[in-house]
Amino acid sequence: MAFSDIKVKQERRLCEVNGKMGYFHCWEHYSKPVEPSPMIGGAPGGVISFVRAIVEFPEGIGYVDPKDLKFRDEENVYLHRLQKIEDMRKEKKNDKRREA
């Protein structure tokens, strides 16, 4: 059995956030304990948890809500092309059903 080297490479992706260009670096899973409300009938304590993107902008690093992130790289272009092919395939299938 032959062994090969495993290379770990940090990649970044070109993205757009609210009209500003940046580089997406990774996802962050953020969580924080929340104290219970001191008021009678108030919210119980617990943990808030969410995912956010870490994005590099020209002026510095920022945290971004995933819904505000639009990838603008070759990988995303390829995904759009695959979707167009799938849409055409479905349309062709529907046309054949209408003809029958």
Side-chain angles (χ1 to χ4, degrees):
M1 177 181 349
F3 291 95
S4 61
D5 292 335
I6 297 175
K7 295 181 182 178
V8 178
K9 180 177 147 186
Q10 186 72 23
E11 293 192 28
R12 59 186 189 187
R13 293 184 63 187
L14 182 64
C15 66
E16 179 183 342
V17 179
N18 299 323
K20 290 177 62 176
M21 299 305 289
Y23 288 118
F24 166 83
H25 284 272
C26 64
W27 298 109
E28 177 185 53
H29 299 269
Y30 178 83
S31 64
K32 175 182 174 183
V34 177
E35 296 284 327
S37 173
M39 301 184 69
I40 297 173
V47 176
I48 59 169
S49 178
F50 54 91
V51 173
R52 59 188 179 185
I54 297 178
V55 178
E56 175 185 349
F57 297 103
E59 63 279 358
I61 300 294
Y63 296 112
V64 176
D65 189 316
K67 70 177 177 47
D68 297 328
L69 185 74
K70 295 178 185 177
F71 289 106
R72 298 292 191 216
D73 56 4
E74 290 178 18
E75 195 169 333
N76 186 257
V77 170
Y78 182 69
L79 185 62
H80 279 276
R81 289 179 184 159
L82 286 174
Q83 186 62 53
K84 282 184 183 181
I85 291 168
E86 182 63 18
D87 291 345
M88 289 185 337
R89 186 188 68 77
K90 286 179 182 177
E91 189 176 311
K92 192 174 186 179
K93 189 175 182 180
N94 288 337
D95 288 346
K96 286 183 180 180
R97 285 184 183 164
R98 286 186 213 127
E99 290 174 3

